[in-house]
Amino acid sequence: MVKISIVGTGYVGLVTGACFAEVGHQVVCVDNDQKKVAFLQGGGIPIYEPGLEELVKRNVTAGRLRFTDQIADGVAHAEVVFIAVPTPPKSDGSVDMTYVERVAREIAGAMTEYKIVVDKSTVPVKTGERVAQTIKRYNKNKCEVDVVSNPEFLREGCAVADLMQPDRVVIGVGGDRPVAKLKAIYEPFHAPIIVTDINSAELIKHACNSFLALKISYANALSVICEASGANIADVVHGMGLDKRIGRAFLNAGLGYGGSCFPKDISAFIHITQELGYDFRLLREVESINRDQAERFLKKIHDTLWIVKDKTLGVLGLAFKPNTDDMRLAPSLNIIRPLLKEGAKIKAFDPQAMEKAKEFLPDIEYCQDAYEAARNVDGLIICTEWDEFRTLDLEKLKNVMGHPTIFDGRNLYDPKLMNDLGFTYLSIGRRLSPAGQSG
Ligand code: UGA
């Protein structure tokens, strides 16, 4: 058992804290947002993440997990203090490191003995050096400290599973002293552990997210070629993915990547590499292909409906991906906002994200279910591939729609089946729709 504190109770901090407690460590989660801490202490969970609520409850009840708004409390408790605070983007694409720096100072000020301080937030390469310098400067009791980089690889929507069964654990250290303790933390997860220098660990994180985004943009670019040539993107990526050197994951063409990680991390990485003297043109193209996907999809809507002003369009799915209520940089926003601007009326349904969506899209109608969102519309747009949309009663859907035209941004249905059912069905990188437009 290791005594751990985690500063920051966002997605990463909260899920990590709960999973560490689950395998037997003693965990204190710290946040300076007193309201949030009170909510967590009262049994509330501020985010929707499958499995998280039960995990937190179980470990709080077992006495392995608690919450505090006092960083000194967290630092006093822990042998190892994790930093898991946000690193939001600045307007120029670089990373705002204010929170990491502040927490480093606060930890330093509260230290009375040797600590291992671990950065888990996604940060630019060389941040570890900065954190170590900051702690040294504000460490009034002159305690020994080791700074470690331990990037996280969890995905929203399956964060608990990703943390409990990680593909690997990356530990970046400046020397051997903290290694045994970090290994003790991760040993119960039975994953390969790789130990590197700090800069390499930090780079691994940005390199992974950028590469995954590159795969998505590659598939999206291929989808354009498929539409132009009459090929089928589903078959193409299936054929590619069976090659073990390529792999099928993250080759789903669609409306492009969104969320709080990829868009931010790719532009941060471009910025960091520029500072290091390299123009990462490949990643600039990844971003540009991603932007084009929304444009191309909007063009399909316009080509089909001609005028959207005063038309009613239904939307299925708002969250940036399924199994989350997160709306940050959701691709749905890149579709809905321009349509609203043009005077379309939007009715939408999302299984989890509607409360959070109201902040981003105050001027649309929110519906009880998918059929309500489709009722009497001029067209139905699918923005997020929630499983429950795959199993909709398509006959019923057609009957409630005023005009059975579907713009499927996530390729949920079989174009032939949709054709046979009498839909005008347009999707991404697949065969012709009955009206002869490219699907
Ligand atoms: C991503 C990474 O997958 C995690 O490994 C990483 O830890 C995390 O960022 C982070 O840096 O914190 P996440 O943003 O939660 O996780 O979600 P993903 O499942 O990676 O999806 C990102 C976006 O790509 C979504 O908008 C999704 O719809 C899109 N996507 C994904 C595609 O368009 N096609 C695909 O084939 C896969």
Side-chain angles (χ1 to χ4, degrees):
M1 184 276 289
V2 181
K3 289 184 175 171
I4 297 169
S5 285
I6 302 192
V7 185
T9 57
Y11 269 100
V12 174
L14 189 55
V15 178
T16 306
C19 291
F20 282 169
E22 178 73 4
V23 298
H25 301 307
Q26 282 291 336
V27 181
V28 173
C29 283
V30 184
D31 205 294
N32 64 359
D33 181 342
Q34 294 178 348
K35 262 198 185 143
K36 195 172 182 188
V37 169
F39 187 62
L40 285 159
Q41 285 169 335
I45 301 290
I47 49 172
Y48 171 74
E49 187 61 41
L52 183 60
E53 190 167 352
E54 305 83 77
L55 198 68
V56 169
K57 244 186 217 146
R58 186 162 60 242
N59 285 286
V60 168
T61 309
R64 289 190 295 264
L65 178 63
R66 68 179 173 86
F67 301 96
T68 178
D69 58 13
Q70 298 299 312
I71 198 159
D73 177 8
V75 173
H77 160 84
E79 303 161 76
V80 185
V81 184
F82 283 79
I83 301 176
V85 293
T87 48
K90 292 203 274 194
S91 55
D92 64 355
S94 66
V95 185
D96 179 354
M97 296 299 292
T98 319
Y99 302 113
V100 172
E101 194 268 351
R102 192 176 66 210
V103 168
R105 270 190 285 131
E106 288 172 355
I107 293 170
M111 275 169 42
T112 54
E113 58 187 341
Y114 169 67
K115 302 283 171 191
I116 299 172
V117 177
V118 185
D119 177 39
K120 216 174 217 325
S121 303
T122 299
V123 293
V125 61
K126 294 165 99 65
T127 294
E129 291 170 13
R130 292 286 199 175
V131 168
Q133 286 159 2
T134 304
I135 293 180
K136 203 167 158 207
R137 203 169 309 127
Y138 288 86
N139 180 348
K140 55 181 189 293
N141 295 318
K142 304 279 170 249
C143 307
E144 294 272 305
V145 65
D146 279 310
V147 172
V148 174
S149 166
N150 171 224
E152 56 81 17
F153 301 102
L154 55 86
R155 287 163 299 172
E156 289 182 22
C158 44
V160 172
D162 281 352
L163 227 138
M164 294 306 290
Q165 293 115 35
D167 289 349
R168 74 323 204 170
V169 172
V170 175
I171 297 172
V173 290
D176 289 340
R177 182 166 57 173
V179 173
K181 195 58 82 182
L182 266 295
K183 283 192 171 168
I185 293 175
Y186 281 107
E187 201 243 310
F189 296 93
H190 305 294
I193 296 178
I194 68 162
V195 180
T196 68
D197 61 82
I198 296 177
N199 289 347
S200 302
E202 290 168 342
L203 257 183
I204 287 171
K205 170 65 196 225
H206 269 138
C208 284
N209 274 5
S210 301
F211 192 77
L212 292 169
L214 183 150
K215 280 189 93 176
I216 298 168
S217 280
Y218 193 87
N220 282 331
L222 281 177
S223 76
V224 180
I225 314 291
C226 287
E227 285 175 19
S229 63
N232 182 330
I233 186 69
D235 293 338
V236 173
V237 295
H238 182 56
M240 288 174 66
L242 287 173
D243 185 327
K244 289 195 184 67
R245 295 167 302 173
I246 296 174
R248 173 64 184 81
F250 282 71
L251 284 177
N252 293 323
L255 296 180
Y257 58 77
S260 66
C261 303
F262 283 179
K264 162 181 87 92
D265 288 352
I266 281 69
S267 62
F269 200 35
I270 292 171
H271 206 271
I272 295 156
T273 50
Q274 241 152 22
E275 278 179 359
L276 292 169
Y278 180 68
D279 178 8
F280 216 142
R281 296 185 300 278
L282 182 64
L283 292 184
R284 285 198 276 119
E285 197 52 37
V286 167
E287 282 188 324
S288 146
I289 292 169
N290 199 55
R291 276 192 297 272
D292 287 351
Q293 276 312 94
E295 293 296 319
R296 292 178 49 77
F297 192 70
L298 282 167
K299 184 169 180 311
K300 279 184 188 162
I301 296 174
H302 286 119
D303 285 351
T304 308
L305 300 180
W306 188 18
I307 302 294
V308 298
K309 187 172 187 305
D310 296 332
K311 289 203 169 123
T312 303
L313 295 168
V315 173
L316 299 187
L318 296 167
F320 86 95
K321 63 178 218 171
N323 300 322
T324 178
D325 61 354
D326 199 340
M327 283 297 297
R328 288 174 293 175
L329 296 185
S332 65
L333 298 171
N334 301 332
I335 306 300
I336 295 172
R337 281 177 175 154
L339 292 172
L340 283 174
K341 221 172 179 175
E342 281 184 71
K345 187 172 169 290
I346 303 284
K347 298 164 72 178
F349 170 72
D350 185 285
Q352 289 294 339
M354 291 201 288
E355 264 325 295
K356 292 210 170 143
K358 285 175 188 163
E359 240 178 80
F360 294 79
L361 297 164
D363 299 324
I364 68 172
E365 184 186 334
Y366 290 92
C367 301
Q368 297 257 322
D369 62 31
Y371 301 105
E372 274 314 303
R375 189 173 297 282
N376 293 329
V377 293
D378 295 286
L380 184 66
I381 302 169
I382 299 172
C383 286
T384 316
E385 66 277 33
W386 284 91
D387 264 346
E388 66 178 73
F389 299 153
R390 294 179 199 276
T391 51
L392 289 176
D393 177 340
L394 294 172
E395 278 289 355
K396 182 172 168 191
L397 194 67
K398 194 179 108 191
N399 290 336
V400 298
M401 287 174 72
H403 305 271
T405 299
I406 293 187
F407 303 96
D408 184 353
R410 297 291 174 183
N411 287 356
L412 289 194
Y413 307 118
D414 174 6
K416 165 132 190 1
L417 174 70
M418 298 305 275
N419 192 359
D420 293 349
L421 287 170
F423 284 96
T424 299
Y425 178 69
L426 294 100
S427 56
I428 308 270
R430 298 193 300 177
R431 288 174 199 291
L432 302 185
S433 83
Q437 296 125 332
S438 65

